[in-house]
Amino acid sequence: MCCNFCRIPIIDYHRHCANCSYDLCLSCSRDLREASVACINGVADSKIGRESEDKESVVEPLPRVKLNFSDKFPEWKANSDSSIPCPPKEYGGCGYSSLNLSRIFKMNWVAKLVKNVEEMVSGCRVYRDANMEKIMFNDPRHCQYAHREDGDANFLYCPTSEDIKSSGVGDFRKHWARGEPIIVNQVFDSSYSSSWDPMVIWRGIQETKDEKLKDENRMVKAIDCLDWSEIDIELGQFLEGYSEGRLRENGKQELLKLNDWPCPSAAEEFLLYQRPEFIGKLPLLEYIHSKWGLLNVAAKLPHYSLQNDVGPKIFTSYGTYDELSEGNSVTNLHFNIRDMVYLLVNTCEVKLKGQPTTKIEKMPQAFEESEEKDTEGDGKVGGDEGRSPDISLGEHSLEIENHANLDENRDVEMMDQGIDNTCSVGDAAIGEHSNQNGGDVSEKTRPGVFWDVFRREDVPKVSEYLRMHQEEFGLLDCESYDFVTRPLYDERFFLNVYHKQKLKEEFGVEPWSFEQHLGQAVFVPAGCPFQVRNLQSNVQLGLDFLSPESLGEAVKLAEEIRCLPNEHEAKLQVLEVGKISLYAASAAIKEVQKLVLDPKLGLELGFEDPNLTAAVSDNLEKMIKRRQITCA
């Protein structure tokens, strides 16, 4: 059930029209009242909390975002007694005099939840190990991927899958609660990679789907990274280009990304029936399993609840290690309302035959020369089509890139044909990186993906930087940006080397930058802006979840998404965070009661999913050993 005005799911109490069944959520009701009062008092409500231009380096925390009723809907106002009328017909209502207060849950159900939680928590204390509070930087499981002034924020937790299985989720939770991405190494060895070849996935999905769907799935949608247009392509042709590459009419390399294939339901069916043994290898199943994850609060919604498809997703895309002047295979800067994990399951080094190497091999050097000119000049770079991401290795220093370009230029004359997506300094640097992050160094594999992940607390400064420099990205006048985080929902920006340096110089903001190798899983917390560049053709297995540590951030993001235009893509992906919280609290109460109280208590709470409860109970014995909460 959604609000008719903002299209965001309604949790419980809301305003309802008895005449035309128009529903208005409480957040919109509050915004309408505030706009009406501001209009009566003549108070301008256009300030969005930005600092003045002479204080650009200091940005205040983001203000509470709200819908601007006074400008967009001047004829719709609250009544003098603070009641709210149904909106006029042009706004989708009927103009009825007053909306009634209605609810969805049973009376006092939420109040009983709150009372039960307060009684249980008041008798508990959380045990903390003081020795674990300080991060040990000499620990090989902590790797430096940034160079900020606050040194402890430069390291990321990079355990192996076996480390997590042996030590439990304690260390993971400590870093995860701080909003830090986590890299899990050695989730599987290279022998599994061939079973995730896109052609093998296609055959497996054909076996699990009905015969009538085979022909329909031959044509798929793909994104052309040159102009971000959606094209129709035969799946067989796309898969052939995955390993052999594709050329445009002008002779340059074509980079494509599959869009929504396979669908999440087909991907989940493929994983359950074709790769059942693989599920057990995934790290932190307590968090990431979409149905039985004990610490995945999104799994607490009952099976009959209508929710977005949160099954596994398979991302297949082309890539090239060489940085092109345009059309790089990237995922633009954005953040998610959910937590995400991306597991790199297959990579393919593409070698194109018959293409002159000098067209692209020399582009990184040409781009650096243009950067130097821009730095000396007005500081502007190309528009949307000129986004050039960072391809630095390990420490992501420009010095390494310069040496790489010199070595590449020496080797150009030795290559007769084709584009070899390798780098002269790659073997040494990649080998060093593998040793650093604890990966499998028995064979040196090239990285498949390059990541930049920003901290949550840097969102105001990153958003302000994008607003200030939008012209340099080809966005001349973004009047549609009603609040400052809007660019991070639109996914229209990619910060290349130049812009990342400029962001650090102007605002002191720097991301964690790292490479992802085959068999590594990258955990990204909700609300952390990130961007990705594909260094090879690759297949990523992605799963979204919502951890207890990220629940508060998800609530904040849901309120921001409410203020986006109704046709915005982010609104189609929004989670019912409020309802998830209630059901998660209900499930937690029941499990605590099973442990310390009479199991017969609390049956009046209702809303029980017997399958979920049974599965959670089966996992309790394992989880009890890891819990560090004692009850007085």
Side-chain angles (χ1 to χ4, degrees), residues 73-92:
F73 312 99
E75 298 179 5
W76 188 17
K77 294 182 176 63
N79 298 321
S80 57
D81 59 354
S82 295
S83 63
I84 296 177
C86 191
K89 292 182 179 180
E90 56 267 30
Y91 301 153

Side-chain angles (χ1 to χ4, degrees), residues 128-153:
R128 297 184 184 277
D129 187 352
N131 296 326
M132 294 298 294
E133 291 298 326
K134 186 176 181 180
I135 298 176
M136 303 303 294
F137 298 118
N138 56 353
D139 188 340
R141 296 177 301 174
H142 294 91
C143 307
Q144 184 173 1
Y145 291 117
H147 298 81
R148 309 182 188 97
E149 293 182 1
D150 46 343
D152 61 338

Side-chain angles (χ1 to χ4, degrees), residues 375-629:
T375 304
E376 297 172 358
D378 59 2
K380 292 186 178 182
V381 296
D384 236 10
E385 297 181 356
R387 291 187 292 262
S388 298
D390 186 356
I391 60 168
S392 51
L393 302 170
E395 300 295 330
H396 74 287
S397 66
L398 292 176
E399 181 180 357
I400 293 179
E401 292 185 42
N402 291 333
H403 285 302
N405 292 327
L406 291 175
D407 290 339
E408 287 174 357
N409 291 333
R410 294 191 192 104
D411 293 338
V412 166
E413 296 179 357
M414 300 175 60
M415 302 172 65
D416 295 327
Q417 60 180 1
I419 294 179
D420 185 2
N421 286 348
T422 61
C423 181
S424 299
V425 297
D427 293 337
I430 294 167
E432 179 183 354
H433 176 81
S434 298
N435 280 304
Q436 180 191 29
N437 62 26
D440 184 5
V441 295
S442 60
E443 58 179 2
K444 296 177 180 178
T445 59
R446 294 194 173 279
V449 180
F450 190 87
W451 289 79
D452 292 303
V453 184
F454 291 87
R455 298 180 296 182
R456 288 170 177 166
E457 57 264 37
D458 291 332
V459 167
K461 294 181 179 180
V462 172
S463 300
E464 182 68 5
Y465 177 86
L466 296 178
R467 184 190 66 83
M468 290 172 52
H469 297 278
Q470 56 186 334
E471 293 183 3
E472 300 177 24
F473 294 90
L475 304 177
L476 300 180
D477 188 11
C478 297
E479 293 182 355
S480 60
Y481 290 167
D482 294 331
F483 60 100
V484 291
T485 56
R486 172 72 185 274
L488 295 177
Y489 291 101
D490 287 349
E491 301 185 35
R492 300 177 65 181
F493 297 88
F494 191 95
L495 300 178
N496 55 28
V497 180
Y498 168 78
H499 279 291
K500 283 190 287 186
Q501 286 180 331
K502 200 168 183 179
L503 175 62
K504 187 172 184 179
E505 292 171 359
E506 296 181 5
F507 290 92
V509 172
E510 178 185 355
W512 292 288
S513 299
F514 54 89
E515 296 164 345
Q516 183 184 15
H517 290 249
L518 190 65
Q520 289 182 330
V522 176
F523 285 76
V524 182
C528 281
F530 69 94
Q531 61 181 22
V532 175
R533 183 169 108 78
N534 297 316
L535 304 179
Q536 296 188 68
S537 293
N538 65 75
V539 177
Q540 289 260 39
L541 177 64
L543 296 98
D544 50 39
F545 60 100
L546 186 59
S547 62
E549 295 84 356
S550 298
L551 194 57
E553 184 71 16
V555 171
K556 186 193 77 172
L557 296 178
E559 184 64 19
E560 291 184 354
I561 292 175
R562 183 182 69 89
C563 297
L564 292 172
N566 287 339
E567 67 276 6
H568 199 283
E569 181 67 23
K571 284 202 170 181
L572 302 178
Q573 305 297 328
V574 69
L575 283 175
E576 294 187 73
V577 182
K579 194 167 293 185
I580 286 175
S581 303
L582 294 177
Y583 281 110
S586 177
I589 289 172
K590 293 171 186 175
E591 298 308 326
V592 172
Q593 289 172 338
K594 289 180 181 179
L595 289 173
V596 299
L597 301 175
D598 185 347
K600 296 180 181 180
L601 295 179
L603 294 180
E604 70 277 4
L605 292 177
F607 297 95
E608 181 176 2
D609 177 2
N611 295 327
L612 177 59
T613 303
V616 172
S617 299
D618 292 339
N619 288 327
L620 269 178
E621 185 175 356
K622 302 177 184 177
M623 294 300 302
I624 292 173
K625 298 178 181 179
R626 300 176 183 173
R627 289 182 179 177
Q628 295 180 324
I629 298 180

Side-chain angles (χ1 to χ4, degrees), residues 12-286:
D12 188 13
Y13 280 98
H14 59 283
R15 297 284 170 179
H16 178 77
C17 179
N19 186 45
C20 70
S21 299
Y22 188 95
D23 295 311
L24 190 70
C25 69
L26 296 185
S27 295
C28 288
S29 300
R30 177 180 57 179
D31 290 350
L32 179 58
R33 285 197 187 96
E34 291 181 359
S36 301
V37 172
C39 183
I40 294 174
N41 297 333
V43 178
D45 196 22
S46 60
K47 184 178 178 182
I48 60 175
R50 296 188 183 125
E51 285 289 334
S52 58
E53 295 297 331
D54 58 338
K55 297 182 179 180
E56 295 168 353
S57 60
V58 180
V59 179
E60 292 181 348
L62 297 177
R64 184 184 75 83
V65 294
K66 53 187 177 181
L67 291 169
N68 192 342
F69 280 85
S70 57
D71 289 346
K72 295 185 177 180
F73 312 99
E75 298 179 5
W76 188 17
K77 294 182 176 63
N79 298 321
S80 57
D81 59 354
S82 295
S83 63
I84 296 177
C86 191
K89 292 182 179 180
E90 56 267 30
Y91 301 153
C94 66
Y96 191 67
S97 59
S98 180
L99 299 178
N100 300 324
L101 184 63
S102 301
R103 56 179 168 79
I104 298 176
F105 288 115
K106 293 180 179 179
M107 182 179 296
N108 296 328
W109 184 72
V110 176
K112 290 180 181 180
L113 276 182
V114 174
K115 182 179 179 181
N116 277 283
V117 170
E118 289 176 344
E119 291 177 351
M120 291 181 176
V121 174
S122 64
C124 298
R125 61 182 176 86
V126 179
Y127 173 78
R128 297 184 184 277
D129 187 352
N131 296 326
M132 294 298 294
E133 291 298 326
K134 186 176 181 180
I135 298 176
M136 303 303 294
F137 298 118
N138 56 353
D139 188 340
R141 296 177 301 174
H142 294 91
C143 307
Q144 184 173 1
Y145 291 117
H147 298 81
R148 309 182 188 97
E149 293 182 1
D150 46 343
D152 61 338
N154 296 323
F155 290 76
L156 293 182
Y157 182 50
C158 304
T160 64
S161 186
E162 288 300 320
D163 289 336
I164 293 178
K165 290 180 180 178
S166 61
S167 62
V169 300
D171 288 344
F172 174 88
R173 296 184 70 176
K174 177 184 65 176
H175 293 275
W176 194 246
R178 295 173 56 176
E180 299 173 356
I182 292 173
I183 306 170
V184 180
N185 299 299
Q186 301 178 16
V187 176
F188 65 90
D189 55 45
S190 58
S191 62
Y192 278 89
S193 179
S194 59
S195 64
W196 286 94
D197 182 273
M199 190 66 72
V200 177
I201 296 176
W202 184 22
R203 296 188 186 120
I205 290 178
Q206 284 181 313
E207 292 176 1
T208 58
K209 285 294 182 181
D210 295 335
E211 187 72 24
K212 64 180 181 179
L213 296 178
K214 291 184 178 180
D215 292 335
E216 295 177 1
N217 283 339
R218 292 293 179 90
M219 294 300 297
V220 295
K221 301 288 185 181
I223 301 297
D224 188 337
C225 298
L226 179 63
D227 56 7
W228 302 102
S229 61
E230 188 177 72
I231 64 173
D232 294 318
I233 184 173
E234 186 177 343
L235 184 57
Q237 294 179 357
F238 178 91
L239 299 181
E240 182 180 355
Y242 177 87
S243 57
E244 299 181 7
R246 291 174 60 89
L247 291 176
R248 304 183 187 277
E249 294 181 357
N250 59 7
K252 292 185 178 181
Q253 187 173 4
E254 183 178 41
L255 297 177
L256 303 176
K257 299 193 298 183
L258 271 186
N259 190 25
D260 297 330
W261 186 93
C263 64
S265 59
E268 183 174 23
E269 191 173 5
F270 169 78
L271 194 63
L272 291 175
Y273 292 98
Q274 300 285 330
R275 303 287 182 272
E277 76 289 346
F278 195 81
I279 298 178
K281 294 182 176 293
L282 296 175
L284 298 161
L285 281 175
E286 302 96 321

